Each structure stands twice: as C-alpha cells, then as structure tokens.
Amino acid sequence: ISRLSTYTEHFQLLKWAFREAKKSILITSFGINYETLKYTGLDKLIPSAMARGVRIYIYYNDQKVVDLRAAEFLKDNRVFYAPSY
C-alpha cells in the first residue's frame, strides 16, 4: 500500500478492509461521528464484518466525545471504541 493522501483514498481502503478482513480491524482516527459512518457506508460494512466474526477496534484521539448516535451504533454492533491520547 502506498501513502494515502486524500479522504477518498482512505475511505476506499476502509471499505476494502471491512469487506476483506478475516480476523480483526484496528482503526485510529481523529474523531468519530455518525454522519461519517453513513457517508462512507461503514454503517453497512461494520455489521457485515461483525457477522463474519471480524473483531473491530476503534481508537480516536480527538478531544471531543463521540457523538451519541455514533456511540449507540458502535455499542449496538459490539464495536470496541475508546479515546487514546
């Protein structure tokens, strides 16, 4: 994989990872919000990956709290998420 420099490249890699992962996915991000989950299609890919037995971990390093809708979505789908500083 070469260096990713645009949001589109990042989203394409994320989508590929969620479709192809066999065991686990670890994401570090500067923030998590529900609009991004919807916009990128991760709201559909996360449950699909979880149904295949893929474990998902998200660490975010933003000072803001994860928005309520995103937190509920992640909790409902058994995705581990936590802040990391």
Side-chain angles (χ1 to χ4, degrees), residues 28-73:
T28 59
S29 177
F30 287 109
I32 304 167
N33 63 54
Y34 191 72
E35 289 75 26
T36 300
L37 292 173
K38 294 288 281 181
Y39 174 76
T40 60
L42 291 178
D43 64 322
K44 305 273 188 290
L45 294 170
I46 287 173
S48 177
M50 294 294 289
R52 292 192 323 270
V54 176
R55 298 188 68 164
I56 302 169
Y57 306 90
I58 301 175
Y59 293 95
Y60 60 96
N61 40 356
D62 194 341
Q63 299 299 324
K64 298 178 285 190
V65 175
V66 174
D67 76 59
L68 183 58
R69 289 185 299 166
E72 288 174 357
F73 174 83

Side-chain angles (χ1 to χ4, degrees), residues 13-24:
L13 179 61
L14 276 174
K15 289 177 183 181
W16 175 84
F18 276 96
R19 285 191 306 267
E20 301 297 324
K22 305 285 189 252
K23 294 183 181 183
S24 64

